[in-house]
Structures are given as C-alpha cells and as structure tokens.
Amino acid sequence: MVSADNLDGQIAYYTMEIGIENDVKTYSGGLGVLAGDTIRSFADMGLPAVCVSQVNENGYCKQILEEDGTQVSEEDPWPVEEYCEELDVEVTVPIYGRDVTVTAWQYDVVSEKSGETVPIIYLDTNVESNDPDAQEYTKRLYSPGYGEDHQLAQEIILGIGGTRILDELGYEVDVYHMNEGHAALLTLELLKRNDMDPEAVREQCVFTTHTPVEAGHDQFDWDLVNEVLGEFVPRETLKEYSREQDLHMTYLALNLSRYANSVAKKHQEVSRNMFPGYDIDAITNGVHVPFWVGEDFIDVYDEYTEGWQENPYKLKHASVIPDDDIWEAHQSQKEDLIEYVNEHEGADMDPDVLTIGFARRATAYKRADLLFYNHERLRHIAETVGEFQIIFAGKAFPGDEGGAGNIREIFHNAWELNDAVNVEYIEDYDMDVGGLLTQGVDVWLNNPRRPLEACGTSGMKAAYNGIPQFGTLDGWWVEGHIENETGWKIGPEPEESKPDETPAEEEDRTDAMDLYDQLENTIVPMYYNDREKWIDIMRNTMAFNGPYYHTRRMSREYLEDAYTQ
Ligand SMILES: *Cc1c(COP(=O)(O)O)cnc(C)c1O
C-alpha cells in the first residue's frame, strides 16, 4: 500500500489562498477553504508537507451591505503576529527590473487527532528594504483595485519567491503541488535549476485545475510579462510551455506537470474539453469533517458512529441513528442559526418554518436569483402549500459590478415578496457564517448554470450535518445526488443537459420551473406532512455521502495518484 514512506521529501502545496481559521483572513472562498481542509487532513495523516501562501495582512474583503443591498468592500486586516511566527529568512524576486525582497511568516497547523504539524509559510513583501509599491504586493488577497501587473507580481512572489524561500528554509521538496494556476511560475524557477530540462521539472510537479470559468484561468500579455517579469527565461521558451498569444498559467502548469487533475468527475469531462490533448484525472473534493460538523451532530456521531473523526468512513453507520436524535440535533443547530440571523440582521425568522439556505460568491453563473424567477409561483407555493424562509450570504469580488448587482437584486426581490416569504441576507459571508448556515438550514440550495460549477463543497458540509441538497446536476452533485434519498435535483439529468446548445434564458426557465415543481410537489409538502420520510433523507445524506466527501479520502487519493506515482 502506498504511504508517505514512498515520498523522498516534502509535499510543497502552493496556494494563493487558504482558509485555515475564520480570523486568519487569507481566503476568499471555495479554493481557499478547500486548501485549509486539505492541510488539516495532511496534518491528521502526518504527511510530510509544507504549504506556501501569501500573508495578505489586509485580508480579502470585509463586506458591508447598505439598505438597498449595495456592497461596500473594505479591507479586512488581521493581526499576523498574533497567529504566526516571523521567520528569519529573506530572498529576492525580480519584478519590474528590480530585486524585491520576500520574507515569511509561519503558521503551524497542528492536528488535534494526531498531534502532527504542517506549517504554512506565508510570504511577505511588506518590509522596509522594499519600495512602497513592492510593499503593497502581498497586502491584500487578489489585489482588488490594482491592475493585472499587481496580480502577476503576486504570482511571481508565490511561485518563484515561494520556491526560493522553501530552499532557504532547508526544505527538501519531493513534489510541488500547484493548487490552481496562480503558482505556475514555480515551474520557471525549477527549469532554471534543472538546466532548462522540462522532463526534470515535470518529474517534480503536479497541478490541480479548479474552474471551468474562462476568467478563472489567468492570462497575461507578453508585453506585460516583459515589463513585470523581464527575461526571467527566454520568451521563446515561455511560449513553448504556455501558448503563442500569451502567458496562460493553466497551459504552463499542464505542460510542466507529470500529473494534473480536476476536482470532480463532471469537471474532468469539462476540463478535458477545455484543454484537449491533456490527460486530466479526477479527484473529487471533500471537506474536513470534524471542522464542519456542528456541536449537536458531533454528539450524535460520537454515540452512533464511533471513530468517525479519525475515519469518516464510519459514517456509513449513520444509518442506525434514530429519528428523534437526528431531529433534535438538527433543531438545536437550526435554532442557533436562526438566533444569529435574528440578532445580526434584525430578522424575525422562525425555527419551525422550512428554511432554505444559499451562500456562495455573488457572481452571475451561481444564479442566486433563480429562485425569484417567477414571483407568482413562489408566492403561490408559500401561501397554499406551506411556508418557507430563505437565508442568503455571499460577497461579490470587490469591483465586480455584475456580482454586486446580483446582491441588490436579491434585496429587491426580498422587498417585493416580503408579505409572503421571509428572505434575509447575512452580511460578510466567511467561514463562521458558512459553518452556521451549513449546520442549521433545512435545505441547501445550489443552482449554478451548468457546467460552470467545478465541484462545490458547501453542499458537502451540509450533508455532514444531515442537510439534503437541492441543486442542478453539476459539480459534485452529479456524484452525490440520489433523487429523494440524499436530496433533490433541479433541471435535467447530466446526459440530457446540453448547455452548449441551450440558450441561457431557456436553461434558466427550464430550471426555474423544475425548481418550483420540486418545491411545490415534493419538498414543502414532505417537510410539513411526512416528517418520517424527511428524516430518512437526512439520515441518507449522512450515511450515503458521509463516507466519501471528506478530505481524508481526497488526500489519500492525492497521495496515491498524484504524489507517489
Ligand atoms: C465552503 C465555503 C465555500 C465554498 O462553497 P461552494 O459550495 O464551493 O460555493 C466558500 N466560502 C466559504 C466561506 C465556505 O465556507
């Protein structure tokens, strides 16, 4: 059996963002939260690993919502020195023809289970020897408000700076894992160290692609590359490993890795279509189970599925948990959520009313407003079939007018519907709010436009708290969905869905109508009239999906298929 002994050194896991705990503001969303869950599992398993990221002392974005839903995006600073140890290390990287100094901080991720540690090395350019521009580079995640050159500078620091820092710190790296293309410039540093031999670089590199959305794949003009990075390696060499027209981080990573993967089975198909000719594997994401299970379900699992924290496969035994235990634990977690919403948003939500949750980055393809497609239908269901209330959360990327508009739309819809459906929007979505929501709602709604959701992990967090998902068959839901057993689908089966041939308006209409049908005919009546069946479904989400959608299983797959091959 493959184990960490098959490694000749450390796994160096590079990620632009990581969500390790709520108040360490080095994450924006799914990519970072996944990185955090991954590193937590690496520590649990005692894998020899080190994580490289950026310190971003001004965080990502603090969201303030005005009366009409307009998002004000502020800096979100965190006290680095309270959480991290300053390392006595210094390297330089070339940016705009000068040597920029990079230093580092260390945050130790210590497993409560195994006592093992995986360090996160946070890169920092905010030092006196740098000029004021260079001091800005690592201050804020994804540098909202700055230009593309700033983004490229961040990627130079992560890829090239990170690799030099690891070297300086004495790490013997066996595998460089690029979690998304942001870190792909590390391949150039490795090329230089290996006499420009691509085979030697490929031997050491693995790459994970995380999104089918075109804009999620960084591309930089050659002119910009020339200005910011200079002739770090000859342009012709870069073109060979990227592509003719620009520096494309995904191509660079794919061409210089021995292994590449997508993050769900469906995403594999989509990625292979986007990047024909590349052998892209599929390792479905997971979540770190003990981190995302609410207190009441922790007690229930402790009683009925002993050993689940160390080994979430044990959750298959959730099939024996009695109805009352499930319902009591759920209601208790739901009350915590409702109390939070009522307190923080001045709402008057009711824990006995069917509660639907929807939280994710505010961006068009996630279709947060699909539920409001037809007010009459929605009103009709609420007034004649049964009451329901809806809780939203999510930030727009600062400066993304489209995303900000989505939030205002929800506010507007909520206002128009307020006599029939209670709709609330929780300000400043972060890991704490994500936890509360995925532990406390009754139904987790996820209706992205196909096939743009690579995986989605919030529905997995919900499943570990016995909460069924209601969603379009995209990302992980293609794998985790069993109709009327682990949740419900919206719209067609994957093989019947033809997103390339279907105009977006038509897809929206079909999906919205199915969403209403499901609510009207199945979900709302079952919640109020067939509690036994409802609890059966809750139990199945835990017993069927619990054994699989966790980062321990996922990390084993990375170890066996990516790191030690
Ligand atoms: C889990 C989580 C996400 C990822 O959720 P998706 O389902 O991928 O949208 C994003 N943000 C936060 C704060 C989370 O906790």
Side-chain angles (χ1 to χ4, degrees):
M1 193 164 170
V2 175
S3 78
D5 299 341
N6 297 62
L7 290 164
D8 289 329
Q10 304 268 323
I11 302 156
Y13 183 92
Y14 286 64
T15 185
M16 191 59 96
E17 55 171 299
I18 180 162
I20 201 67
E21 57 178 293
N22 193 67
D23 296 332
V24 174
K25 302 288 183 180
T26 55
Y27 65 96
S28 81
L31 181 71
V33 172
L34 175 80
D37 281 1
T38 302
I39 295 303
R40 266 186 278 283
S41 281
F42 282 6
D44 290 345
M45 295 160 77
L47 295 186
V50 56
C51 175
V52 182
S53 191
Q54 244 163 58
V55 75
N56 302 135
E57 70 262 35
N58 289 339
Y60 166 61
C61 161
K62 175 146 196 74
Q63 178 194 55
I64 295 158
L65 293 173
E66 293 178 344
E67 204 73 354
D68 67 342
T70 297
Q71 170 173 313
V72 178
S73 311
E74 298 194 336
E75 291 184 344
D76 198 9
W78 62 286
V80 177
E81 56 297 333
E82 277 178 33
Y83 290 91
C84 302
E85 181 201 344
E86 191 167 8
L87 296 177
D88 184 17
V89 65
E90 195 178 295
V91 300
T92 62
V93 291
I95 298 174
Y96 275 120
R98 68 213 200 284
D99 280 337
V100 169
T101 300
V102 183
T103 61
W105 300 78
Q106 178 165 334
Y107 176 107
D108 283 332
V109 180
V110 184
S111 166
E112 284 175 28
K113 301 292 165 299
S114 66
E116 303 278 350
T117 299
V118 173
I120 302 173
I121 306 300
Y122 279 127
L123 307 172
D124 187 2
T125 62
N126 186 10
V127 292
E128 256 175 41
S129 53
N130 282 333
D131 59 57
D133 276 356
Q135 290 177 2
E136 291 294 314
Y137 290 148
T138 57
K139 278 193 186 164
R140 202 152 162 209
L141 180 55
Y142 299 130
S143 297
Y146 290 88
E148 269 198 324
D149 64 326
H150 223 268
Q151 218 175 317
L152 182 54
Q154 289 198 330
E155 299 191 12
I156 292 169
I157 292 158
L158 182 68
I160 299 168
T163 304
R164 292 180 175 178
I165 287 268
L166 287 188
D167 221 33
E168 208 48 36
L169 290 170
Y171 283 98
E172 301 268 346
V173 176
D174 186 33
V175 191
Y176 292 88
H177 185 172
M178 294 168 264
N179 186 46
E180 198 42 281
H182 305 125
L185 294 176
L186 73 83
T187 58
L188 304 186
E189 174 72 5
L190 295 183
L191 269 176
K192 286 171 73 133
R193 291 183 188 184
N194 289 278
D195 300 325
M196 306 305 280
D197 172 12
E199 266 321 306
V201 176
R202 281 184 201 117
E203 276 300 296
Q204 305 173 67
C205 293
V206 305
F207 168 58
T208 305
T209 179
H210 283 271
T211 180
V213 178
E214 196 59 52
H217 297 262
D218 288 337
Q219 298 150 42
F220 300 104
D221 284 353
W222 290 125
D223 286 347
L224 185 80
V225 173
N226 211 32
E227 268 181 69
V228 182
L229 181 60
E231 280 270 310
F232 187 73
V233 301
R235 166 87 59 97
E236 285 316 306
T237 311
L238 262 184
K239 280 189 176 171
E240 195 182 331
Y241 301 123
S242 172
R243 60 177 183 181
E244 187 61 29
Q245 71 259 40
D246 57 17
L247 176 57
H248 188 291
M249 301 307 263
T250 307
Y251 279 113
L252 182 63
L254 284 170
N255 285 325
L256 288 168
S257 293
R258 65 162 194 252
Y259 172 91
N261 73 290
S262 57
V263 293
K265 192 67 191 160
K266 173 77 189 169
H267 180 226
Q268 176 184 37
E269 184 189 316
V270 177
S271 302
R272 284 181 169 179
N273 286 335
M274 276 181 96
F275 302 101
Y278 292 93
D279 185 15
I280 300 174
D281 196 12
I283 297 180
T284 302
N285 285 162
V287 297
H288 187 268
V289 183
F291 191 85
W292 293 104
V293 173
E295 275 175 31
D296 296 275
F297 271 101
I298 287 180
D299 291 344
V300 173
Y301 289 155
D302 280 347
E303 188 171 346
Y304 295 100
T305 62
E306 207 188 314
W308 67 279
Q309 297 219 21
E310 291 71 21
N311 180 5
Y313 294 110
K314 299 280 183 200
L315 289 172
K316 65 179 182 289
H317 301 309
S319 56
V320 304
I321 306 173
D323 283 16
D324 287 351
D325 293 61
I326 293 176
W327 193 250
E328 275 165 32
H330 174 66
Q331 278 306 107
S332 168
Q333 292 188 179
K334 186 176 176 184
E335 277 160 24
D336 291 344
L337 166 68
I338 300 289
E339 201 178 290
Y340 177 92
V341 177
N342 287 348
E343 211 166 276
H344 282 77
E345 306 301 328
D348 59 345
M349 293 207 144
D350 179 348
D352 291 322
V353 168
L354 172 63
T355 303
I356 298 171
F358 184 106
R360 43 193 56 84
R361 183 160 55 90
T363 184
Y365 86 85
K366 305 259 191 186
R367 296 192 298 186
D369 57 356
L370 190 72
L371 190 61
F372 302 121
Y373 190 89
N374 183 328
H375 284 199
E376 247 170 82
R377 277 283 318 258
L378 200 63
R379 208 179 265 283
H380 171 79
I381 300 166
E383 284 167 356
T384 65
V385 185
E387 235 187 304
F388 51 90
Q389 52 198 11
I390 310 161
I391 308 176
F392 285 96
K395 298 171 185 173
F397 183 74
D400 170 12
E401 282 313 313
N406 292 147
I407 301 175
R408 271 195 305 273
E409 274 297 299
I410 295 170
F411 272 64
H412 185 70
N413 281 294
W415 174 77
E416 288 189 330
L417 282 161
N418 74 3
D419 55 314
V421 184
N422 199 347
V423 180
E424 289 298 333
Y425 204 107
I426 304 182
E427 197 173 57
D428 205 30
Y429 181 42
D430 58 11
M431 286 164 68
D432 279 354
V433 172
L436 264 174
L437 277 165
T438 53
Q439 289 159 18
V441 298
D442 296 303
V443 175
W444 192 248
L445 178 65
N446 185 27
N447 48 35
R449 180 166 288 140
R450 281 168 296 252
L452 296 179
E453 182 92 310
C455 181
T457 52
S458 54
M460 300 175 183
K461 297 170 196 165
Y464 282 104
N465 287 282
I467 297 167
Q469 177 160 278
F470 178 31
T472 41
L473 289 170
D474 199 15
W476 85 283
W477 196 228
V478 174
E479 297 164 53
H481 160 263
I482 306 172
E483 185 65 10
N484 235 3
E485 295 296 342
T486 60
W488 305 273
K489 70 181 170 74
I490 296 171
E493 294 285 347
E495 58 274 15
E496 291 160 8
S497 160
K498 301 266 182 299
D500 293 343
E501 300 158 26
T502 316
E505 306 77 53
E506 193 181 319
E507 191 187 346
D508 289 351
R509 182 164 43 80
T510 314
D511 288 348
M513 290 310 135
D514 196 43
L515 187 158
Y516 294 134
D517 289 345
Q518 291 274 51
L519 272 183
E520 178 163 1
N521 303 324
T522 309
I523 298 174
V524 180
M526 189 194 298
Y527 181 81
Y528 289 108
N529 308 329
D530 192 355
R531 193 56 50 86
E532 216 172 295
K533 172 64 184 168
W534 186 275
I535 295 172
D536 253 351
I537 290 178
M538 294 181 71
R539 190 165 27 234
N540 291 342
T541 65
M542 299 181 271
F544 294 174
N545 286 337
Y548 190 77
Y549 294 98
H550 52 89
T551 37
R552 194 183 174 87
R553 181 270 312 154
M554 186 196 83
S555 300
R556 265 228 77 82
E557 285 194 57
Y558 276 104
L559 182 64
E560 291 180 2
D561 299 338
Y563 302 152
T564 58
Q565 280 306 300

